[in-house]
Amino acid sequence: MEGESFGNCNCAYGCPCQFEDLPTHGHCRGFEVLRIERGHFAETRLDGLLVALLYAWPGPIFEGRGELQAVIDERADADQRAALERVLHGGETAEAATHWWVFRAMSDVVHPTLYRPIELELDIDARRARATIPGVLTGEGRPIMPPHSDGEHRVRIQIPGGIEFETAEIGSATSRSGTDSAISLDLTDSYGQFNRLHHNGEGVVHG
């Protein structure tokens, strides 16, 4: 699967998890929305569909005891729904090869998948995004604004051997969950991530 992704978690702009450090506030909570430009699961095409994953852990991700909930584009047919749910839950993936595999392995609770319309407006280079899932999620991303001057701050995180992305633009994001979400989100001006995602069953496709 290849496409554009926007995410928001409760950590500070640097997100210590990306540096193998402990989360800013001791716990982790957030979401990711992905627009699949090109993708397939065996013979099932996934082009043009959107998915989201909401998650929460009471401590660092690697300590487990987390929970997650997948949301799949309501336009997906039965085969596409089954394929996307399997991938988002880490199935058909080499051990620890993607963040989705790790998220599932570190979660004791997997809430029922939701099927909803998903809207995503995203400009990665500009660090701007808007995500909407009725009854489930609203999220907005923007550039980091320095407190000491006018203008926008631009910073990237690059992880050549990462399990989620090679390069991500970092910004500020704010999100709220809706009444239909099993995961509660109420985040304001915390870590925003804007990146291209390219995965297969062996992990991130690099280069």
Side-chain angles (χ1 to χ4, degrees):
M1 296 198 301
E2 184 175 5
E4 295 185 326
S5 178
F6 165 56
N8 178 205
C9 78
N10 62 303
C11 279
Y13 294 149
C15 187
C17 294
Q18 306 295 351
F19 300 88
E20 300 294 348
D21 202 357
L22 300 178
T24 302
H25 306 290
H27 65 282
C28 181
R29 184 174 296 270
F31 78 89
E32 168 192 14
V33 179
L34 168 69
R35 179 190 297 111
I36 304 168
E37 296 171 352
R38 292 171 294 278
H40 67 89
F41 184 89
E43 302 303 316
T44 301
R45 297 302 309 181
L46 305 172
D47 303 24
L49 296 174
L50 290 92
V51 295
L53 195 67
L54 291 82
Y55 51 79
W57 287 270
I61 295 173
F62 63 82
E63 291 184 353
R65 298 177 291 119
E67 56 181 316
L68 59 83
Q69 184 168 42
V71 187
I72 293 174
D73 197 327
E74 67 175 9
R75 299 174 300 158
D77 63 27
D79 288 342
Q80 291 169 326
R81 291 183 179 194
L84 288 167
E85 182 175 58
R86 188 158 181 79
V87 171
L88 290 171
H89 289 168
E92 303 297 328
T93 302
E95 183 175 349
T98 70
H99 66 300
W100 294 326
W101 190 100
V102 172
F103 285 4
R104 174 61 187 90
M106 294 295 103
S107 293
D108 293 344
V109 178
V110 178
H111 296 283
T113 298
L114 301 176
Y115 304 96
R116 298 293 172 87
I118 303 174
E119 296 182 6
L120 177 63
E121 301 172 18
L122 175 58
D123 185 331
I124 294 174
D125 288 340
R127 291 94 67 213
R128 295 191 181 277
R130 185 183 300 273
T132 305
I133 307 174
V136 179
L137 175 74
T138 59
E140 185 170 358
R142 62 168 178 79
I144 296 168
M145 310 301 289
H148 52 75
S149 64
D150 295 331
E152 301 174 354
H153 180 61
R154 187 174 188 181
V155 62
R156 297 173 177 171
I157 293 176
Q158 187 171 23
I159 310 177
I163 62 171
E164 183 178 2
F165 58 80
E166 281 193 325
T167 302
E169 296 280 352
I170 308 305
S172 176
T174 295
S175 57
R176 304 285 183 272
S177 58
T179 56
D180 296 340
S181 172
I183 308 293
S184 176
L185 296 179
D186 186 5
L187 309 179
T188 301
D189 290 335
S190 56
Y191 177 81
Q193 181 177 297
F194 312 75
N195 64 279
R196 291 197 61 79
L197 181 145
H198 193 179
H199 284 184
N200 62 23
E202 299 301 317
V204 174
V205 178
H206 295 285

